[in-house]
Amino acid sequence: MSSQENGGRDSDISATQKMISATWGSIFTTLLVTPLDVVRVRLQSQSQPRPAPNNPTNFPAYSANFAKLPQNLGVTACCREVFWVGDNAPYCMVGTNANSASTISSASTSAADCAVEETQRKTFTSTFDGLRKIARNEGLFTLWRGLSPTLLMAIPGNVIYFTGYDWLRYNHHSPISRSISDTYAPFVAGAGARVAAGIVVSPIEMLRTRMQATSGSETGIFRSTVVGLHQLAQSRGYTSLWRGLTLTLWRDVPFSGIYWWGYEAVRNSLTDFRHHQTSLQHGLGSGSLTADTSSRRASQVAEHHTTTFVDSFIAGFASGGLAAFVTTPFDVGKTRQQVFKHATDDGKPPASLSKVHAAGQLLPEERSMPRFLLHIFKEEGFAGLFKGWGPRCLKVAPACAIMISSYEVGKKWARKVNENRADGSGNE
């Protein structure tokens, strides 16, 4: 009753209780979807094997790696030296060891087979192919690489994101709830909450992306990545840790707006449908499939926790999947630009990159997000813009469903606890 009188369905739940609900939902969601996120990052940073001649900016390995090529290229694999240019499977150079030059002709076939084998190991054709190859070639626990920074990012990020959205959407003091209609308020509140959360977790997001983009099963990746970020901060200032914030906001702000708009639309439709069915069952006439906002909120507060879980799960899954698919191009652009910047973070750009800058040009990865996405579209078409949409949607849709349903059920539990406390105090 009091929650409706105050104009917000969660006004009787404390901020601490909302934080607890967001925290346990974040932990559960992260454990389930991290493997899909690892595959998504690998797929999106996997370059296309179609470099255009006489145009070095289109060569996927055109980065700081070329300035660091040792004379004895590569690492030993299959008893042969295999060097992966820019760690991209389609471009490998194979040669026999210098000590076995006399056996070049007899070993050429074996070397070619080695290159094919290594290429197949490093090239992912689908989400499930990536899961299988990473688990088999790099170890099962590699699929949870970046779990620690993901948790460090997800918990505070979701606490700020979900509690911030509730405040912006329903609190009387929020400028959004006072000045924007219910039709557009979810989009604006979701975008605003995401900006606040993104500012807080941007450095952790950079750490997570770099860890997940690193292939192989070697140990010490977390430590080496942290050391690399520390060196970056020392050489370019601590504001460089937020250098990926603009890229993140390009992806997350439209996603959050679409997600919350879709979530409330689907959830309200389910609530209206249940109300319509209840009216029919009780002989109250055909009822109406469209209810006003206050009656909807009252119905959602009073509904059983199972209904809350089912409705929020369905709404979160549908809206999360749609928002993930629509914003995949921004996710592709963000991942590629971050991987490129990671290759040049030593502060010493390669001579080849300097020549491009001296000619007054920029590499595609250095352009603004809209121009970079246009470049990807011209070179790779829609397939390039939506690369990784499968693992992204497979990750985001269930993650959104689990997270929002956990959060809503947690708030319902908190409301029940508060009601019991109030009843106990009244009986004393």
Side-chain angles (χ1 to χ4, degrees):
M1 179 69 174
S2 60
S3 62
Q4 281 73 59
E5 290 172 350
N6 292 333
R9 64 181 181 185
D10 300 321
S11 59
D12 54 340
I13 305 174
S14 68
T16 301
Q17 290 173 325
K18 292 180 181 179
M19 291 179 185
I20 294 174
S21 299
T23 298
W24 84 275
S26 301
I27 295 173
F28 187 48
T29 302
T30 300
L31 290 174
L32 290 177
V33 303
T34 294
L36 294 171
D37 203 34
V38 171
V39 175
R40 175 191 64 82
V41 171
R42 297 282 189 92
L43 275 171
Q44 291 179 347
S45 58
Q46 185 173 273
S47 301
Q48 291 289 327
R50 296 185 290 109
N54 303 322
N55 187 359
T57 61
N58 288 330
F59 195 79
Y62 194 78
S63 66
N65 296 313
F66 277 113
K68 304 174 183 178
L69 299 186
Q71 293 181 353
N72 52 341
L73 293 177
V75 296
T76 299
C78 307
C79 301
R80 292 292 182 273
E81 289 180 359
V82 179
F83 175 76
W84 302 96
V85 179
D87 199 33
N88 289 292
Y91 301 93
C92 67
M93 292 175 281
V94 183
T96 56
N97 295 318
N99 296 333
S100 58
S102 61
T103 64
I104 291 179
S105 59
S106 62
S108 59
T109 303
S110 177
D113 292 340
C114 168
V116 171
E117 178 184 340
E118 291 295 309
T119 299
Q120 291 174 344
R121 288 179 58 184
K122 286 178 171 283
T123 303
F124 305 149
T125 58
S126 66
T127 302
F128 295 105
D129 183 59
L131 291 170
R132 178 178 60 85
K133 287 181 177 178
I134 292 175
R136 184 179 64 185
N137 299 323
E138 304 177 30
L140 181 63
F141 290 105
T142 305
L143 291 171
W144 279 269
R145 177 174 291 168
L147 179 62
S148 298
T150 300
L151 285 172
L152 288 175
M153 178 181 68
I155 293 176
N158 282 333
V159 166
I160 296 171
Y161 182 44
F162 283 90
T163 58
Y165 175 81
D166 279 342
W167 188 89
L168 291 172
R169 179 71 176 91
Y170 299 111
N171 195 284
H172 276 313
H173 300 290
S174 168
I176 294 176
S177 64
R178 290 182 300 179
S179 59
I180 299 179
S181 67
D182 282 340
T183 303
Y184 304 105
F187 187 97
V188 179
R194 176 50 65 189
V195 170
I199 292 173
V200 174
V201 303
S202 182
I204 309 175
E205 165 80 2
M206 183 183 294
L207 172 65
R208 179 183 67 91
T209 300
R210 293 188 177 192
M211 287 186 65
Q212 292 181 342
T214 304
S215 61
S217 57
E218 64 271 15
T219 58
I221 291 178
F222 179 80
R223 178 180 175 83
S224 62
T225 306
V226 171
V227 171
L229 289 178
H230 177 71
Q231 294 174 347
L232 174 65
Q234 293 296 318
S235 62
R236 302 188 181 183
Y238 283 97
T239 55
S240 62
L241 297 178
W242 278 266
R243 189 179 59 184
L245 177 61
T246 302
L247 297 177
T248 300
L249 294 181
W250 267 109
R251 178 195 65 182
D252 289 355
V253 170
F255 172 88
S256 297
I258 296 171
Y259 168 73
W260 282 110
W261 173 80
Y263 172 77
E264 291 214 8
V266 175
R267 179 88 191 273
N268 290 338
S269 296
L270 292 173
T271 300
D272 293 345
F273 178 76
R274 292 181 185 278
H275 178 73
H276 174 70
Q277 292 296 106
T278 302
S279 298
L280 291 178
Q281 292 175 359
H282 290 79
L284 299 178
S286 60
S288 175
L289 285 175
T290 304
D292 59 82
T293 302
S294 60
S295 62
R296 260 198 217 107
R297 293 179 185 175
S299 177
Q300 290 171 354
V301 167
E303 66 189 9
H304 191 266
H305 66 273
T306 302
T307 302
T308 297
F309 177 83
V310 172
D311 286 4
S312 58
F313 190 95
I314 294 173
F317 190 94
S319 59
L322 174 63
F325 179 78
V326 171
T327 59
T328 294
F330 296 106
D331 191 47
V332 171
K334 170 185 174 294
T335 300
R336 291 195 185 183
Q337 288 190 342
Q338 281 190 329
V339 170
F340 169 81
K341 290 179 179 180
H342 174 43
T344 57
D345 273 346
D346 58 357
K348 300 176 181 179
S352 54
L353 182 58
S354 300
K355 290 180 180 179
V356 174
H357 289 170
Q361 300 178 359
L362 292 176
L363 294 183
E365 291 83 357
E366 296 178 295
R367 301 173 185 173
S368 64
M369 179 64 77
R371 294 184 63 195
F372 182 47
L373 294 182
L374 180 61
H375 166 79
I376 295 176
F377 174 74
K378 290 180 178 179
E379 294 295 323
E380 305 173 28
F382 281 108
L385 287 176
F386 287 89
K387 179 184 289 186
W389 72 267
R392 174 166 166 77
C393 292
L394 282 175
K395 172 212 168 183
V396 173
C400 288
I402 295 170
M403 182 64 218
I404 192 63
S405 57
S406 301
Y407 181 64
E408 294 288 1
V409 170
K411 291 195 299 182
K412 183 168 285 292
W413 164 81
R415 183 180 291 107
K416 185 66 174 178
V417 170
N418 294 342
E419 290 175 354
N420 291 338
R421 287 178 179 175
D423 293 340
S425 301
N427 294 331
E428 290 179 357

